[in-house]
Amino acid sequence: MSLSQVEGQARAIEPLKRALASKAVHHAWLFQGPDGVGKELAAVGLAQALTCPEAPFEGCGACSSCLRVAKRNHPDVTWLMPEDELVNRGLAGRSDFTHVPSRDIRIEQIRKLQERLAFRSLEARYKVALIVTAHAMNPPAQNALLKTLEEPPKDTVLVLVTSAPDKLLPTIRSRCAKAQFGPLPAPLVAKLVQARRKVADATAAQLAAMSGGSLSRALTLDVDALAERKAIIEKFEALVRTDARGWLHLAEELGEDRATAEAALDVLQAWLHDVAVAQVGAGELVNGDLAALATAAAAKVTPAGVQRRAVLLDEARNAITARNGAIRLQLERMFIEMFSA
Ligand SMILES: [Zn+2]
């Protein structure tokens, strides 16, 4: 896998390719955009381009050097991420730590990186540091990294990969060249889903439509929950302003556990998209089989109302995913704000 194989992200990749072609690569890059759209893949591609002996400034993706970059064991490519991310990815076990694995990238990790970058590269011309989940750097870590960005060691390229650039210091952001990644087109997500998950065409299309353009989201969506889709949508559409017990009952039902709640919110997010499409009268429905219900729903609420519900859904989903707060309470709050206003 080299940079040219990252799909659906021309806007982010073209400037990188141009920088590589000019052999004048900026010393720090910010790869920003939603989760699961190829930022990390592109970061690997850039690291390969900077270290590949076969295709310098391109990366062949196939030589021993490129393969070791992809497998995270090239001596000139350093990966940095929070300890709990290492655990989540199965790259470390909880027992590897004497403490609870940290969710932050800590200053000690930045200092270690700086010590490594102070030395010459071992094999390649460049040393590359990939800071994944860069927004997890806590304030002391960010301040420490700033020094490296201000006075970069020779032949060093840092790549900060993040879905939340706002959590980085403005002084860090301003010193980085930016590569802006966007949501992937649904047909591409469907194609990539099918390459990895044994699902029918229609299911892949549905997962893609519900993924918000994120491959990782599409790959983790619950296929069984798709079967519940129609029931969830019908229950949601049956909610009315005058029946608070109805909202609370549905919150209880959908808030049974995190997976159920997340799947239900994905269904409803796609549904609100369909309602908005029905209001405009143009566009493709995710739930093509529920077109009549979408038209009926579109007549019951204003476009601004649909937009507001979508925002509330998104907030609830984020809160539940971030694991702060009881799931059912988040859903209750969401329904109350949707239907009592
Ligand atoms: Zn190579």
Side-chain angles (χ1 to χ4, degrees), residues 72 75 106 121 145 175 177 219 290 294 320 333:
R72 297 163 208 268
R106 292 165 298 115
S121 58
L145 183 72
R175 281 179 172 79
L219 290 172
L290 299 178
I320 287 169
R333 183 188 302 167

Side-chain angles (χ1 to χ4, degrees), residues 48 51-55 59-67:
Q48 288 174 327
T51 52
C52 178
E54 302 294 330
C60 71
C63 71
S64 140
S65 174
C66 284
L67 293 178

Side-chain angles (χ1 to χ4, degrees), residues 15 62 68 70 89 118 121 145 158 178 180 193 204 208 262 288 317 320:
R68 282 178 294 144
R89 295 177 180 214
S121 58
L145 183 72
L158 288 106
K178 316 239 175 359
Q180 179 67 52
V193 164
E262 287 181 341
R317 183 134 189 352
I320 287 169

Side-chain angles (χ1 to χ4, degrees), residues 56-250:
F57 293 100
E58 281 178 29
C60 71
C63 71
S64 140
S65 174
C66 284
L67 293 178
R68 282 178 294 144
V69 171
K71 286 184 191 159
R72 297 163 208 268
N73 57 12
H74 191 293
D76 296 321
V77 180
T78 308
W79 292 74
L80 204 61
M81 63 184 85
E83 290 166 352
D84 84 330
E85 187 68 21
L86 286 170
V87 173
N88 290 343
R89 295 177 180 214
L91 299 170
R94 283 192 180 275
S95 55
D96 294 341
F97 302 98
T98 53
H99 49 273
V100 177
S102 174
R103 284 189 178 190
D104 292 342
I105 295 176
R106 292 165 298 115
I107 189 167
E108 294 81 0
Q109 290 173 279
I110 299 296
R111 294 234 167 92
K112 236 171 142 179
L113 173 68
Q114 287 166 330
E115 283 168 22
R116 269 181 97 155
L117 295 180
F119 289 97
R120 288 183 48 194
S121 58
L122 294 164
E123 292 183 15
R125 154 121 189 247
Y126 284 94
K127 290 164 285 181
V128 185
L130 306 179
I131 306 182
V132 179
T133 332
H135 53 269
M137 283 188 285
N138 63 23
Q142 292 199 29
N143 277 308
L145 183 72
L146 201 49
K147 286 216 175 65
T148 304
L149 297 181
E150 284 166 348
E151 296 168 31
K154 199 169 170 290
D155 293 334
T156 297
V157 173
L158 288 106
V159 183
L160 282 64
V161 178
T162 181
S163 58
D166 293 352
K167 291 184 183 161
L168 294 170
L169 292 172
T171 41
I172 286 189
R173 295 203 304 265
S174 68
R175 281 179 172 79
C176 294
K178 316 239 175 359
Q180 179 67 52
F181 292 72
L184 297 171
L188 176 60
V189 175
K191 185 189 96 178
L192 296 172
V193 164
Q194 284 208 304
R196 297 174 198 212
R197 240 177 132 167
K198 276 185 189 148
V199 293
D201 285 5
T203 308
Q206 190 106 43
L207 290 171
M210 289 168 56
S211 70
S214 163
L215 176 61
S216 59
R217 185 108 167 243
L219 290 172
T220 51
L221 284 169
D222 186 346
V223 176
D224 292 338
L226 281 178
E228 304 287 324
R229 170 187 61 99
K230 194 166 171 235
I232 291 169
I233 290 169
E234 285 170 348
K235 284 175 190 167
F236 178 75
E237 282 305 324
L239 297 178
V240 287
R241 184 174 301 191
T242 49
D243 179 18
R245 286 178 60 193
W247 326 329
L248 299 183
H249 183 75
L250 189 57

Side-chain angles (χ1 to χ4, degrees), residues 236-309:
F236 178 75
E237 282 305 324
L239 297 178
V240 287
R241 184 174 301 191
T242 49
D243 179 18
R245 286 178 60 193
W247 326 329
L248 299 183
H249 183 75
L250 189 57
E252 187 177 355
E253 187 183 327
L254 302 180
E256 193 183 321
D257 56 59
R258 177 168 285 113
T260 307
E262 287 181 341
L265 291 176
D266 289 337
V267 166
L268 292 178
Q269 195 65 271
W271 175 244
L272 291 181
H273 160 89
D274 285 356
V275 175
V277 165
Q279 283 177 330
V280 181
E284 189 107 358
L285 294 178
V286 176
N287 303 279
D289 54 333
L290 299 178
L293 188 58
T295 305
K300 285 197 299 187
V301 58
T302 64
V306 175
Q307 181 63 34
R308 187 169 163 274
R309 287 179 179 186

